[in-house]
Every structure is written in C-alpha cells, then in structure tokens.
C-alpha cells in the first residue's frame, strides 16, 4: 500500500528509536550517564542547526530541517527534545559557566524549532516547559520570564527577516484552529474508524496513510477537501492505528 520510500523512512526512524532505547537501558546507569546522553542530544542539535536554518533561508516557502529530504516535523521533535534536555541540564548543573551555556543553547535552539514550523512540536515543547517550571521555585517569575523571552525572540526573527508567509499562516492556523485544526480533527475521526475495525493488531506498520485513503471515503462527517495520504499527527493515535493495542502496550 504505502510507497517503498515512505516505508523506508519509517523503518529508519524506528531503528533510530530502538537504538536510542538500547543506548539508554545499557549505558545509562547513573545520573551522570543520563546527563551525558542529554548533553549529546543538545550538542547534536546545535551542530545541525546552521544546516537547518540554511535550508529555510534558501527558499522562502521551505521549513527548517537538517537536509531537504528530512521530515520537518521529525526534525522539530528532535529540536524540542534538545531544548528540554538543555533546560534540565541548566537546572541541575552547579557550574555557573555550564549553566549559562545550557541556557543560551536552549534559547538558541528555539530559533530552528520555530522555523521548522511544526505546530505539534511547538505545543509539545511549550507544554513540557510549562510543566517543568511548575515544579520549580519562583514559578510565577519563571513563567513571566519565558513569555518575555519568547516575545523578544519573535521580534528578533521579524527584525532578521526570518518570518515568511508560510510561518505566519501556520501560526495563524494554530491560534485560530482554522480548517478544523488543519484537518487534524478530520484525520482523527477517520483514525477512530480505522482503530475500531483493527483494535488488536492495527493496520500494519507505516500503513496509516494508505489505510486513511481507504477509510476517508466512508467517513461522511469529515470535510470532502481533505488531503489524501495523511499522517496521524498524533503519536498515540498513529501507534494504535498501525500496531493496535498490542503495539501501544
């Protein structure tokens, strides 16, 4: 059903996640080991950030990512993880210079996160920061600081000419839930039918877009102009749809 190219990327992503899992359970045996893994994630994101911003600036309709064939949403997810890692390292680090490094690194990584234009990654990263601050001291001051910093960052992006029409449109769609959340609600309605028919083992790994095309025609309550071969835009729905309850567990 799904093209070999799409399946290949899906399996490559799955292998990466498995390797990260194996690295975590076999290497991380202490707090220091955990911090080293997080620092590696942050440094990797920092190294690739110039590449992603170059892709964005070379074409006014592009979204930031490390290379043109990469999925911007996947890249944004990695950057979001890197930002959270940097903030965690900043909170737990005792060395003042390293604390400053982690703080400014996390702040800098907010730029490629915004330019990647993944609204799901925006919401997920912001939500994680909100929860992190909730368990910190001086939470009200920290919330105000985050809002002020983000406002300043947006102004810097405008001043630097890094805000294109696509970024404005995607931000507006997020804030107003235009077109039923960019048709995400419609995708989830179709996914509900898909999951109901295949609750145990799902429709098969990387088969959600193909199955979506089959189900969308039989779902009258969605918009008729929705794009074909949609991704689930939700990890839990995607796993439940493709791998069923067995895969979700």
């Amino acid at each position: 059903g799904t093209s070999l190219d799409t399946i290949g990327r899906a399996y490559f992503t799955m292998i990466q996640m498995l390797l990260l899992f194996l690295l975590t359970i076999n290497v991380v045996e202490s707090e220091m080991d955990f911090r080293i893994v997080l620092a590696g994630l942050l440094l990797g994101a920092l190294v690739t950030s110039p590449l992603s911003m170059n892709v964005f600036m070379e074409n006014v309709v592009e979204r930031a990512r490390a290379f043109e064939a990469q999925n911007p949403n996947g890249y944004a997810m990695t950057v979001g993880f890197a930002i959270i890692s940097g903030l965690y390292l900043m909170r737990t680090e005792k060395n003042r210079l390293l604390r400053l490094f982690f703080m400014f690194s996390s702040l800098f990584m907010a730029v490629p996160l915004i330019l990647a234009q993944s609204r799901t990654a925006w919401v997920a990263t912001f939500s994680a920061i909100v929860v992190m601050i909730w368990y910190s001291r001086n939470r009200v001051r920290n919330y105000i600081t985050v809002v002020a910093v983000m406002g300043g960052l947006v102004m810097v992006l405008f001043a630097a000419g890094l805000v294109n029409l696509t970024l404005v449109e995607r931000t507006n769609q997020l804030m107003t839930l235009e077109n039923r959340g960019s048709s995400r609600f419609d995708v989830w309605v179709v996914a509900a039918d898909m999951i109901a028919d295949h609750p145990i083992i799902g429709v098969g790994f990387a088969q959600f877009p193909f199955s979506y095309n089959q189900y969308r025609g039989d779902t009258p309550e969605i918009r008729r102009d929705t794009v074909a071969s949609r991704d689930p835009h939700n990890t839990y729905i995607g796993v439940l749809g493709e791998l069923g309850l067995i895969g979700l567990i």
Side-chain angles (χ1 to χ4, degrees), residues 41-118:
L41 176 61
L42 177 61
L43 290 175
L46 283 171
V47 169
T48 58
S49 59
L51 298 175
S52 67
M53 288 187 284
N54 183 63
V55 170
F56 175 84
M57 290 185 290
E58 283 186 347
N59 192 321
V60 294
V61 297
E62 287 288 357
R63 297 165 59 187
R65 53 198 187 276
F67 51 93
E68 292 190 3
Q70 186 178 32
N71 186 326
N73 295 323
Y75 172 73
M77 178 184 67
T78 303
V79 172
F81 279 131
I83 291 174
I84 300 304
S85 299
L87 294 176
Y88 173 83
L89 292 170
M90 180 192 71
R91 286 186 58 191
T92 57
E93 179 57 53
K94 296 180 180 179
N95 184 288
R96 183 178 178 83
L97 291 178
L98 284 177
R99 283 173 60 89
L100 289 173
F101 171 75
F102 292 135
M103 180 182 70
F104 284 111
S105 295
S106 298
L107 179 60
F108 174 77
M109 290 310 302
V111 175
L113 176 65
I114 293 174
L115 299 184
Q117 304 178 32
S118 173

Side-chain angles (χ1 to χ4, degrees), residues 23-203:
L23 171 68
T24 302
I25 64 174
N26 287 286
V27 175
V28 178
E29 298 179 351
S30 65
E31 171 70 14
M32 180 57 68
D33 294 337
F34 181 61
R35 291 167 58 81
I36 290 174
V37 171
L38 295 184
L41 176 61
L42 177 61
L43 290 175
L46 283 171
V47 169
T48 58
S49 59
L51 298 175
S52 67
M53 288 187 284
N54 183 63
V55 170
F56 175 84
M57 290 185 290
E58 283 186 347
N59 192 321
V60 294
V61 297
E62 287 288 357
R63 297 165 59 187
R65 53 198 187 276
F67 51 93
E68 292 190 3
Q70 186 178 32
N71 186 326
N73 295 323
Y75 172 73
M77 178 184 67
T78 303
V79 172
F81 279 131
I83 291 174
I84 300 304
S85 299
L87 294 176
Y88 173 83
L89 292 170
M90 180 192 71
R91 286 186 58 191
T92 57
E93 179 57 53
K94 296 180 180 179
N95 184 288
R96 183 178 178 83
L97 291 178
L98 284 177
R99 283 173 60 89
L100 289 173
F101 171 75
F102 292 135
M103 180 182 70
F104 284 111
S105 295
S106 298
L107 179 60
F108 174 77
M109 290 310 302
V111 175
L113 176 65
I114 293 174
L115 299 184
Q117 304 178 32
S118 173
R119 291 158 295 192
T120 302
W122 291 350
V123 173
T125 304
F126 182 75
S127 300
I129 293 174
V130 168
V131 172
M132 183 178 292
I133 293 177
W134 180 260
Y135 289 99
S136 68
R137 291 176 293 182
N138 303 314
R139 66 178 66 148
V140 175
R141 184 193 66 184
N142 291 336
Y143 282 135
I144 295 174
T145 300
V146 167
V147 172
V149 168
M150 294 307 299
L153 182 59
V154 170
M155 289 189 290
V156 169
L157 292 176
F158 269 104
L162 294 177
V163 177
N164 60 15
L165 180 61
T166 308
L167 178 56
V168 173
E169 289 179 346
R170 293 176 70 83
T171 303
N172 181 65
Q173 290 171 352
L174 173 64
M175 301 302 293
T176 62
L177 292 181
E178 182 182 343
N179 296 329
R180 292 168 60 85
S182 296
S183 300
R184 280 169 169 74
F185 299 152
D186 293 314
V187 173
W188 297 336
V189 169
V190 175
D193 292 339
M194 188 188 308
I195 293 169
D197 288 346
H198 306 276
I200 306 301
I201 61 175
V203 297

